[in-house]
Amino acid sequence: MRPLPVVLLCLASLSAPLATAASDPLARAAAVGVREAERQRALALNERDIELLRRLMGGNYRHVETNGRLRSKTEFLQALARDEYRIRHYALEDMEVEVVSGDVAIVTGTYRAARYELGSAQPLRGRYVRVWTRQPEGWRISLHQGTEIKTAAAQPAKSDNRATQ
């Protein structure tokens, strides 16, 4: 069994100082490349461009959806091709790129989208983290984790247990 890229990333980050984009021209150039790859990913998701997404994903890609479902690269691309992936109108709100080494970057940010359920679109806002690694062919995503940001109105009411104690 091959270790997940995340484990390797964590180990690498312990032994290497962070390269800040503000002080390191190589880190700055890497951040620009990752931002462009993020832009291409968002465009490919909206256009359902399976081939571009395939090229942007590393071989061991893992996709953790907002509901906790884990998909491999193949499973994720198949869901898109069969139109089972219910997210549409995906737009990045903000993005922070942290270059951990010259070949690894962690991207965090928020997004807005529409989730289609039972024929109607529901607005969705989420936070994401993605790990990108530089390969000979360019930047590739190793891991995506999305978490839905629920509004206060969508949160279940907290019960007050003090009255029953």
Side-chain angles (χ1 to χ4, degrees):
M1 177 197 252
R2 293 171 47 164
L4 289 174
V6 175
V7 174
L8 297 175
L9 170 67
C10 291
L11 292 174
S13 68
L14 293 175
S15 64
L18 294 179
T20 61
S23 63
D24 182 354
L26 293 176
R28 219 175 9 257
V32 168
V34 171
R35 284 181 181 280
E36 174 57 20
E38 281 279 344
R39 187 193 67 73
Q40 289 179 17
R41 179 188 179 277
L43 182 65
L45 268 178
N46 285 325
E47 294 182 1
R48 297 302 200 247
D49 186 339
I50 305 296
E51 288 310 309
L52 178 54
L53 284 168
R54 184 183 322 279
R55 287 192 307 272
L56 289 171
M57 295 174 174
N60 290 328
Y61 176 80
R62 296 292 180 260
H63 186 97
V64 182
E65 297 177 356
T66 59
N67 63 6
R69 180 176 182 173
L70 174 65
R71 294 184 196 246
S72 68
K73 176 180 180 176
T74 300
E75 292 167 334
F76 180 72
L77 292 173
Q78 285 175 344
L80 279 171
R82 291 190 300 251
D83 207 29
E84 294 171 2
Y85 189 67
R86 301 169 298 161
I87 303 300
R88 299 281 196 277
H89 313 294
Y90 182 85
L92 297 174
E93 284 188 328
D94 62 67
M95 174 191 330
E96 184 176 319
V97 177
E98 181 179 344
V99 178
V100 179
S101 73
D103 295 329
V104 177
I106 300 171
V107 180
T108 56
T110 57
Y111 66 90
R112 289 193 183 273
R115 178 176 30 220
Y116 282 81
E117 297 185 67
L118 303 173
S120 68
Q122 301 299 318
L124 170 68
R125 185 164 184 256
R127 189 170 311 284
Y128 67 90
V129 61
R130 284 189 273 277
V131 177
W132 290 82
T133 56
R134 188 183 345 233
Q135 304 297 316
E137 28 327 302
W139 287 99
R140 300 294 178 258
I141 309 169
S142 300
L143 174 71
H144 163 88
Q145 162 75 58
T147 304
E148 184 174 358
I149 300 172
K150 294 189 179 198
T151 62
Q155 300 287 333
K158 292 184 180 179
S159 63
D160 188 352
N161 293 343
R162 292 178 291 179
T164 60
Q165 292 180 353

